[in-house]
Every structure is written in C-alpha cells, then in structure tokens.
Amino acid sequence: MIAVMLMAVPCFAGDLDGTWVVRDPRPDGTSRNTYLNLKQEGSLITGSIRVTQFFYKIKESTGGPDGFTVTGSMMDGHNERQVKYEGKLVGDELHVSTRRRPEEALTEMVAHRAPAGEGALPARIEPPPLHKVPDNGLAKTPPMGWNSWNKFAGRVDDAAVRGMADAMASNGMKQAGYQYINIDDTWEGMERDAQGNVTTNKKFPDMKALADYVHSKGLKIGIYSSPGPNTCAGYEGSYGHEEQDARTYAAWGIDYLKYDWCGARNLYTDEEMQAVYQEMGDALRNVGRPIVYSLCQYGRAEVWKWGAEVGGNAWRTTGDIRDSWDSMTKIGFAQNELAPWAKPGHWNDPDMLEIGNGGMNDVEYKTHISLWAILAAPLLAGNDLRDMSPGILEILTNREVIAVNQDKDGKQGRRIAKSGEQEIWARPLFGGAQAIGLFNGSGEAAKITLKWADVGMKSAPAHVRDLWRHSDLKTKGGEYSVEVPAHGVAMLRVRK
Ligand code: GLA
C-alpha cells in the first residue's frame, strides 16, 4: 500500500522543458553563456548543457522543478569531463548553481528562457574534399613575435597591444628579429552584424586602426579564430564564415592567423580536421594578402603529416603550455620524433614562450629559449613586454641563440644522448655547423660530457662558441665537459 503511494508522488508537469540561458557578463560587453537544454518527463530530466563551446549530454538526474540535479558528460579526446548543476524553478526563473572547479564553492546563477534556437549547435556543414593548398611562401624561418594569451588571457585590449608594439619596437626585440604582435582569443564580439561580418568587442574599438598602428612601428599584427562556431573562451568562431572572415582580416591588415580547433570538436571528428583546416587555408590564400597560417589543434591527428598540405606555416604539437618547469620540459623534450616534419615555411609548434611570466627562474627560462631554438620552434614571447627585467630581455634577445632558431636550413634538432636527467640535443645548421644544447634536468648542478663522436666529429672541432657566455672555447681531445647549473643549459655552436 505504502509503495503504491510513493510511486504516485513524483508527477511533474514538464515545467522545466526548453532552453534556459545564464548570461554571465564580461567587462568587454560580451557574456559567457551557459545553456541548459532540458526535457523533463516525470522525474527524469534529459537533454544537454552547453558551457560556451562545450556540449555535455545529461546522463543523470534527480528531482524536478522544486529541486533537481543534472550531471552532464562529454568526451574530450580520451578523457571524460563532467558538469553538475543543481536547480529549482522560481516563478519564470530557473535558479541554478554549480562548482566551476571541484574545490570551489557553488556559483549561483539565474537562468531565463532563451529565444528559440539560441545556444543550439548549428547544422553541420560537410567538409570539402582534400586537395593541396599552394604554399604561401611565408615563415621561411620560424615566426618570431609576441602573443597575448599566456600573460593576459581575456584581459588583452587595444591599449595593451599598442603598448606591446611600442615596447617591441624600442627595446631591442624588433632588431633581434621579433616581428608579430598577435592578439589571441577574446577580441571578438558576441554576434556577427546583419551581413554576417565578424565584430569586435569593446576592448577593441577599431581593429583597422590598431593594425595601422602596429604597422607604423614596422611590425606585423596577428589575430585568432576557430573553425568551430565558438572559440575556446566562448567567443565567435569562423564556422560557416571562413572566406568572409579571411576577407575581413585582410581588410583590417592582419598578417597572421592562429586558428584554434576548440568549438569545432562538437561538429567534426579528428579525421575531418585536415579538410576543415584546408578550408581556412584556401580562404587565406584567396584574399590576396600574405597571412601566416598557424594551426592550433593540440597536436591531434598527427597534424605534422598534413599541416603543410592545408597551407599551414606552423602547427601546435601539444596541449597548452603553463609557466612551470614541469610543463615546459614535458613539452619541449617530447618533440624529438617530430624533427623530420619541420622545414622552411612549415614548423612544429610546441606552444608559446613563458619567459618572464614568473613561474620559472632565469636559468630555467634560458633552458626554455635554448630548447625552442634547437627545435626550430616559433618564438612568440608571452610576457608583458612593457615591464620586464633586464635579465629577461637579455634572454629573449640573445642573438646567438636566435640565430640558431632562425637558421636558414630550417632543420629541427634531435636528442643525441641522454643519461638520467641530463640530455644533449643537436641541430644541424647551414654550412655544416651545429648547435648543441647540453641540458641539465636535475635540481642539482651537474657535469655534462659531450663526445664529439656523438655529433659526427672525429676530434674537437676548430670552432666552438658558447652562446650564453658569448665566448669562443678552446677544446682538445675526444670530448668536452661542462658544469651546468640545476635546470640549466650550456649551448654551443660548433664548426669543423
Ligand atoms: C586554447 C589554445 C591556447 C589559447 C586559448 C584561448 O587553449 O591552445 O593557446 O589560444 O585556447 O582561448
């Protein structure tokens, strides 16, 4: 008898049905939207939760309009990500709360009914058949410049970009070869205009004027977008507007595009990436302005094998770098196998520099740039160029190390020896020279010995230059030993 009564109680009317939006305003005038797309049948709630570009399918629910929880899940590569929301209908508002991170307190939000269609995943556009995008002839040596993300993330604005251009043009970086001032995510407006043109948000009032300013300093300017409907930070992507956006960039005077997979993951598989990236590669080729094309899809789908085919000048080979010794070395020392794919115009990109951001010491930052030089990686400074110590500026502008990075043969270096936490890498350079990095990964100073035979030399080479001490070394015999500080590097340029 009791059991029957209990079963009869949960009878809700489906009041939660529909799409609910939480608008989380940002200082740039846009908002970070969360959509709860709910279908309620009795005590079962199904549907999806969209947090910017991430779509989670609801897989568990309890309760109903008077108080419910829903758990959404999505696969991100091989990892499952989950979100959990608690909620309650209050009049015509849906009061919801979630933990943005497991360790954080609940964030409480109010959701309203969204206009029909808003927040829905757009219809899928079939990717084009594959072909080879003609080479744009750019980036014959790895691109050098600055990118806003590592230091500023969502706080980058017009004034900061101008400030970086001023700094780069006057502090010696431009003379050392740095050229691009690249705006990463969060410059975009929330919506396109009536003609479908991409718009900026209030942090970037006039992109053309900003590009003109950067050009007036003798520098170039870069921008960021996604092949998906949304970028990683939840801003407008180029999905379905590739040619139109390429034309807009050209009209603004943009010289470099970083194109970040992010929101495309909800529409396309990894197998379709090449075709999707080809679309923007073609669009950029067709606008009649030289624009460096930088692919950012975290090294998935063996991008090094097809990045050049889609017109890519560089392709990220890893997930995001962080400003820590562990992150930098985990990424940097894992690039060995990719060496054959780097060549003039087409580079492996182990992500932007963290030099000067404070999470490592100067010895470690020297290791960072030395390794990136040997890897023929793009050198995109990621710190605040207006405000850095002389030591950091010296690291970023060590011309002898930069010359290794910019070597015109464009061959990426490889690991030639490893013993415990010490490893030696060598990069072949123009004219038969070589750059050699002796890296000490240990937390204690260590003596590292290089056998000349390991770099194909029968005896000590005639020319040995220490690129951090800026001095020529006299060496004899079959090997060279040097004391390298904890987490440090000795970097040499040698020639017979
Ligand atoms: C991804 C990229 C980063 C940066 C952010 C911006 O995480 O890998 O380099 O562009 O998106 O949202």
Side-chain angles (χ1 to χ4, degrees), residues 149 184-185 224 232-233 258 260 262 296 298 316 320 351-352:
W149 188 254
D184 206 280
D185 204 353
Y224 166 102
C232 294
K258 172 174 170 183
D260 190 344
C262 260
C296 175
Y298 337 115
R316 278 272 296 277
D320 290 11
D351 209 357
M352 304 164 300

mmCIF file of all heavy atoms in Angstrom, residues 149 184-185 224 232-233 258 260 262 296 298 316 320 351-352, ligand 1:
data_model
loop_
_atom_site.group_PDB
_atom_site.id
_atom_site.type_symbol
_atom_site.label_atom_id
_atom_site.label_comp_id
_atom_site.label_asym_id
_atom_site.label_seq_id
_atom_site.Cartn_x
_atom_site.Cartn_y
_atom_site.Cartn_z
ATOM 1 N N TRP A 149 48.128 35.579 -25.052
ATOM 2 C CA TRP A 149 47.393 34.649 -24.191
ATOM 3 C C TRP A 149 48.080 34.325 -22.868
ATOM 4 O O TRP A 149 47.466 34.389 -21.802
ATOM 5 C CB TRP A 149 47.084 33.345 -24.947
ATOM 6 C CG TRP A 149 46.178 32.477 -24.147
ATOM 7 C CD1 TRP A 149 46.508 31.334 -23.479
ATOM 8 C CD2 TRP A 149 44.779 32.696 -23.887
ATOM 9 N NE1 TRP A 149 45.413 30.823 -22.826
ATOM 10 C CE2 TRP A 149 44.345 31.650 -23.062
ATOM 11 C CE3 TRP A 149 43.866 33.695 -24.262
ATOM 12 C CZ2 TRP A 149 43.021 31.553 -22.603
ATOM 13 C CZ3 TRP A 149 42.552 33.588 -23.812
ATOM 14 C CH2 TRP A 149 42.147 32.536 -23.004
ATOM 15 N N ASP A 184 45.430 37.035 -29.202
ATOM 16 C CA ASP A 184 44.823 35.698 -29.069
ATOM 17 C C ASP A 184 43.325 35.873 -28.799
ATOM 18 O O ASP A 184 42.732 36.924 -29.085
ATOM 19 C CB ASP A 184 45.555 34.927 -27.953
ATOM 20 C CG ASP A 184 45.498 33.422 -28.124
ATOM 21 O OD1 ASP A 184 44.457 32.837 -27.776
ATOM 22 O OD2 ASP A 184 46.483 32.828 -28.600
ATOM 23 N N ASP A 185 42.716 34.858 -28.239
ATOM 24 C CA ASP A 185 41.272 34.817 -28.005
ATOM 25 C C ASP A 185 40.788 36.016 -27.169
ATOM 26 O O ASP A 185 41.550 36.560 -26.390
ATOM 27 C CB ASP A 185 40.968 33.507 -27.262
ATOM 28 C CG ASP A 185 39.541 33.047 -27.443
ATOM 29 O OD1 ASP A 185 38.732 33.786 -28.020
ATOM 30 O OD2 ASP A 185 39.252 31.921 -27.000
ATOM 31 N N TYR A 224 43.228 35.797 -34.018
ATOM 32 C CA TYR A 224 42.901 34.440 -33.583
ATOM 33 C C TYR A 224 41.459 34.110 -33.928
ATOM 34 O O TYR A 224 40.578 34.964 -33.807
ATOM 35 C CB TYR A 224 43.111 34.393 -32.073
ATOM 36 C CG TYR A 224 42.533 33.215 -31.345
ATOM 37 C CD1 TYR A 224 43.355 32.151 -30.951
ATOM 38 C CD2 TYR A 224 41.177 33.162 -31.016
ATOM 39 C CE1 TYR A 224 42.829 31.074 -30.253
ATOM 40 C CE2 TYR A 224 40.653 32.082 -30.317
ATOM 41 C CZ TYR A 224 41.482 31.043 -29.937
ATOM 42 O OH TYR A 224 40.964 29.981 -29.247
ATOM 43 N N CYS A 232 37.731 28.838 -27.853
ATOM 44 C CA CYS A 232 37.877 28.170 -26.555
ATOM 45 C C CYS A 232 37.309 29.014 -25.419
ATOM 46 O O CYS A 232 36.781 28.487 -24.454
ATOM 47 C CB CYS A 232 39.348 27.896 -26.258
ATOM 48 S SG CYS A 232 40.093 26.721 -27.372
ATOM 49 N N ALA A 233 37.441 30.328 -25.516
ATOM 50 C CA ALA A 233 36.940 31.183 -24.442
ATOM 51 C C ALA A 233 35.465 31.533 -24.657
ATOM 52 O O ALA A 233 34.913 32.365 -23.932
ATOM 53 C CB ALA A 233 37.792 32.444 -24.342
ATOM 54 N N LYS A 258 46.033 32.639 -36.000
ATOM 55 C CA LYS A 258 46.077 31.394 -35.204
ATOM 56 C C LYS A 258 44.670 30.827 -35.213
ATOM 57 O O LYS A 258 43.720 31.524 -34.858
ATOM 58 C CB LYS A 258 46.534 31.714 -33.783
ATOM 59 C CG LYS A 258 46.427 30.543 -32.814
ATOM 60 C CD LYS A 258 47.046 30.932 -31.469
ATOM 61 C CE LYS A 258 46.755 29.901 -30.388
ATOM 62 N NZ LYS A 258 47.306 30.325 -29.080
ATOM 63 N N ASP A 260 42.198 27.932 -33.967
ATOM 64 C CA ASP A 260 42.152 27.038 -32.812
ATOM 65 C C ASP A 260 40.905 26.148 -32.848
ATOM 66 O O ASP A 260 39.780 26.638 -32.816
ATOM 67 C CB ASP A 260 42.164 27.933 -31.559
ATOM 68 C CG ASP A 260 42.370 27.158 -30.284
ATOM 69 O OD1 ASP A 260 42.220 25.931 -30.290
ATOM 70 O OD2 ASP A 260 42.677 27.812 -29.272
ATOM 71 N N CYS A 262 39.051 24.036 -30.877
ATOM 72 C CA CYS A 262 38.009 24.244 -29.858
ATOM 73 C C CYS A 262 36.579 23.900 -30.266
ATOM 74 O O CYS A 262 36.209 22.739 -30.324
ATOM 75 C CB CYS A 262 38.107 25.642 -29.288
ATOM 76 S SG CYS A 262 38.974 25.533 -27.706
ATOM 77 N N CYS A 296 46.194 25.409 -34.596
ATOM 78 C CA CYS A 296 46.221 25.094 -33.166
ATOM 79 C C CYS A 296 45.169 24.039 -32.912
ATOM 80 O O CYS A 296 43.986 24.335 -32.826
ATOM 81 C CB CYS A 296 45.940 26.375 -32.367
ATOM 82 S SG CYS A 296 45.797 26.099 -30.588
ATOM 83 N N TYR A 298 46.361 21.203 -30.939
ATOM 84 C CA TYR A 298 46.995 20.495 -29.819
ATOM 85 C C TYR A 298 47.728 19.216 -30.252
ATOM 86 O O TYR A 298 47.888 18.277 -29.469
ATOM 87 C CB TYR A 298 45.959 20.197 -28.704
ATOM 88 C CG TYR A 298 44.768 21.141 -28.770
ATOM 89 C CD1 TYR A 298 43.492 20.682 -29.063
ATOM 90 C CD2 TYR A 298 44.961 22.516 -28.616
ATOM 91 C CE1 TYR A 298 42.429 21.561 -29.191
ATOM 92 C CE2 TYR A 298 43.906 23.402 -28.739
ATOM 93 C CZ TYR A 298 42.639 22.915 -29.038
ATOM 94 O OH TYR A 298 41.592 23.780 -29.177
ATOM 95 N N ARG A 316 50.569 23.530 -33.804
ATOM 96 C CA ARG A 316 50.809 23.151 -32.424
ATOM 97 C C ARG A 316 50.955 21.640 -32.343
ATOM 98 O O ARG A 316 50.238 20.896 -32.992
ATOM 99 C CB ARG A 316 49.656 23.629 -31.548
ATOM 100 C CG ARG A 316 49.775 25.087 -31.132
ATOM 101 C CD ARG A 316 50.574 25.237 -29.863
ATOM 102 N NE ARG A 316 49.850 24.587 -28.796
ATOM 103 C CZ ARG A 316 48.859 25.183 -28.121
ATOM 104 N NH1 ARG A 316 48.517 26.425 -28.364
ATOM 105 N NH2 ARG A 316 48.226 24.520 -27.173
ATOM 106 N N ASP A 320 48.222 22.946 -24.045
ATOM 107 C CA ASP A 320 48.703 24.274 -23.646
ATOM 108 C C ASP A 320 49.882 24.211 -22.674
ATOM 109 O O ASP A 320 49.860 23.462 -21.706
ATOM 110 C CB ASP A 320 47.575 25.062 -22.968
ATOM 111 C CG ASP A 320 46.504 25.465 -23.964
ATOM 112 O OD1 ASP A 320 46.530 24.969 -25.102
ATOM 113 O OD2 ASP A 320 45.636 26.270 -23.591
ATOM 114 N N ASP A 351 54.235 25.388 -28.626
ATOM 115 C CA ASP A 351 53.489 26.442 -27.905
ATOM 116 C C ASP A 351 54.384 27.637 -27.563
ATOM 117 O O ASP A 351 55.595 27.610 -27.712
ATOM 118 C CB ASP A 351 52.772 25.904 -26.659
ATOM 119 C CG ASP A 351 51.508 26.719 -26.335
ATOM 120 O OD1 ASP A 351 51.237 27.721 -27.029
ATOM 121 O OD2 ASP A 351 50.798 26.350 -25.390
ATOM 122 N N MET A 352 53.713 28.674 -27.086
ATOM 123 C CA MET A 352 54.359 29.981 -26.932
ATOM 124 C C MET A 352 55.273 30.016 -25.713
ATOM 125 O O MET A 352 55.166 29.188 -24.828
ATOM 126 C CB MET A 352 53.263 31.033 -26.809
ATOM 127 C CG MET A 352 52.346 30.966 -28.013
ATOM 128 S SD MET A 352 50.767 31.815 -27.834
ATOM 129 C CE MET A 352 49.955 31.053 -26.494
HETATM 130 C C1 GLA B 1 43.474 27.206 -26.413
HETATM 131 C C2 GLA B 1 44.831 27.408 -27.042
HETATM 132 C C3 GLA B 1 45.567 28.493 -26.283
HETATM 133 C C4 GLA B 1 44.751 29.780 -26.329
HETATM 134 C C5 GLA B 1 43.361 29.531 -25.777
HETATM 135 C C6 GLA B 1 42.446 30.722 -25.981
HETATM 136 O O1 GLA B 1 43.557 26.698 -25.117
HETATM 137 O O2 GLA B 1 45.566 26.222 -27.050
HETATM 138 O O3 GLA B 1 46.844 28.709 -26.853
HETATM 139 O O4 GLA B 1 44.675 30.233 -27.661
HETATM 140 O O5 GLA B 1 42.736 28.414 -26.402
HETATM 141 O O6 GLA B 1 41.158 30.510 -25.539
#
